Amino acid sequence: MAAVCAYRATKNSVLATRLTTTALCLGWSGAFAMHLAVSLRTRTVMPGVVTSVVPGLPGAYGVLRRIWG
């Protein structure tokens, strides 16, 4: 439902789409970075580090570079 609302709110505006995508990417990147920090701090590998965090940060960078570049 949230995805449908975001789509409807941004479908007619390139700027709104860019800002929404940027907010999502930065939020997810923050979560990925926190996941890594907790793993390093506790000296454990939390589930999801390899499958979501490692590709997540470069992926977010690529998306942001693409929409603002």
Side-chain angles (χ1 to χ4, degrees), residues 31-43 46:
F32 293 152
M34 186 170 56
H35 200 147
L36 282 176
V38 169
S39 292
L40 291 173
R41 177 77 174 130
T42 60
R43 296 185 180 150
M46 296 174 66

Side-chain angles (χ1 to χ4, degrees), residues 25-67:
C25 283
L26 292 178
W28 288 328
S29 294
F32 293 152
M34 186 170 56
H35 200 147
L36 282 176
V38 169
S39 292
L40 291 173
R41 177 77 174 130
T42 60
R43 296 185 180 150
T44 60
V45 177
M46 296 174 66
V49 171
V50 175
T51 59
S52 66
V53 176
V54 175
L57 293 174
Y61 171 76
V63 168
L64 290 174
R65 191 167 161 219
R66 173 87 174 164
I67 66 171

Side-chain angles (χ1 to χ4, degrees), residues 7-29:
Y7 167 73
R8 287 183 180 163
T10 62
K11 71 178 181 177
N12 295 324
S13 171
V14 172
L15 180 60
T17 302
R18 286 181 178 175
L19 292 174
T20 302
T21 304
T22 299
L24 289 171
C25 283
L26 292 178
W28 288 328
S29 294

